[in-house]
Amino acid sequence: MPLPSHVTLVDVGPRDGLQNEKHTVGAADKIELVRRLQRAGLTEIEVTSFVSPKWVPQMADAAEVMAGIERQRGVRYHVLVPNLKGLEAALPTRPDEIVVFGAASEAFSRKNINCTIAESIERFAPVVQAARAKGCKVRGAISCAVGCPYEGDVHPDRVELVVRLMKDIGVQHVGVADTIGVGTPNKVRAAMERALAHYPIAEVSGHFHDTYGQALANIYACLEMGIHVFDASVAGLGGCPYAKGATGNVATEDVVFLLDGLGIETGIELGALVDAGAFISGVLGRPPVSRVARAVLAKRPLAEEL
Ligand code: HMG
Ligand code: MG
């Protein structure tokens, strides 16, 4: 199969990227990050999550951030919601897409959202119905699709079970997530195949944390399958508070560099994206994790001297 000619990247930096930060990042900085991402050409941005502030304090300002972003035509704004309470808070902030998040591992489901997989589906069902009735698209994230920090290897049968359950309740798109970054191409392919058995290719995406440095290889394996939607996080930020030791998502800069090199169109301008990553890294007081961003930034002073 030829590689896709266009890839859509969803930048999850403002949400996944920041949710696990120890020090509070102010709403104004989150809003500025969203502004810079859209300026770089991102058209899908996961802005925040309407979760319990006791569980994830960093996302307590979800409504303020959604109210503060400068909406741009052609850009879609996604938010996570775990339950009806989250949806009720999210809807007035006019998200284009809501994300319910389940897991292929029982242990992770309990740690992350405090319920079993079956209970999570029961909880999501009215959320999906109500969100769709309000015109929001619904994405379902499936964490631990290849490995779990508590249960180890996760069999593709477990992924397919959750994919089917999500389809049954009306979830329109599934995001297959390697929460702890342990996947390698064959394992990722096997998980993706189970999603593709139930959803069209445009409605299946990959979400790869880069803990073991395998994320770009996994994305390439997905491209070979024709998958053309991926989550990524500017500067390589990210992590889940309930997946200890897992590092950030694959950096958007690294994915864009790969796709540019393959001649695959994204609509994203790498230089402006590096600027967005440098901005938020400055706020956090550390350099970007992205190898591409570091390489681009290292060359800049030289270019300025010429
Ligand atoms: P619970 O404690 O079982 O919920 O948590 P509860 O219904 O018993 O409520 C407990 C308290 O939370 C109550 O407040 C509720 O009002 C409040 P109290 O009466 O004690 O003052 N509450 C809420 N407040 C605000 N917004 C809400 C909300 N719901 C309840 N929506 C719950 C269950 C799901 C709420 C909790 O476990 C939770 O918020 N979990 C979120 C965890 C999370 O955000 N994890 C990270 C995102 S997922 C991720 O990163 C993975 C992903 O990137 C893919 C991948 O990499 O795998 C997507
Ligand atoms: Mg994640």
Side-chain angles (χ1 to χ4, degrees), residues 235-258:
L237 302 172
C240 176
Y242 302 99
K244 220 168 183 241
T247 61
N249 293 82
V250 65
T252 317
E253 298 91 319
D254 295 4
V255 184
V256 169
F257 188 82
L258 171 72

Side-chain angles (χ1 to χ4, degrees), residues 15-16 19 46 49-56 80-87 89 99 101-102 108 111-115 123 141-144 177-180 207 209 239-242 249:
R15 193 280 303 172
D16 197 327
Q19 69 184 7
E46 201 169 273
S49 53
F50 288 84
V51 296
S52 164
K54 285 185 193 145
W55 285 63
V56 185
L80 262 61
V81 296
N83 53 19
L84 274 174
K85 188 177 171 86
L87 185 72
V99 185
F101 48 103
F108 187 78
K111 295 274 185 192
N112 195 39
I113 49 175
N114 204 23
C115 62
R123 202 181 271 177
I142 304 178
S143 290
C144 299
D178 182 5
T179 313
I180 53 171
H207 174 112
H209 285 260
C240 176
Y242 302 99
N249 293 82

Side-chain angles (χ1 to χ4, degrees), residues 150-213:
Y150 311 103
E151 292 180 7
D153 271 0
V154 172
H155 195 275
D157 286 352
R158 306 290 307 165
V159 179
E160 186 161 4
L161 175 77
V162 183
V163 168
R164 293 172 78 128
L165 291 169
M166 286 202 172
K167 180 123 200 240
D168 288 347
I169 60 168
V171 168
Q172 294 158 290
H173 177 110
V174 281
V176 176
D178 182 5
T179 313
I180 53 171
V182 290
T184 41
N186 288 348
K187 284 186 177 175
V188 166
R189 238 180 255 120
M192 289 296 179
E193 274 162 8
R194 301 307 185 96
L196 291 170
H198 302 277
Y199 280 86
I201 201 144
E203 301 302 349
V204 173
S205 57
H207 174 112
F208 301 114
H209 285 260
D210 203 23
T211 318
Y212 288 83

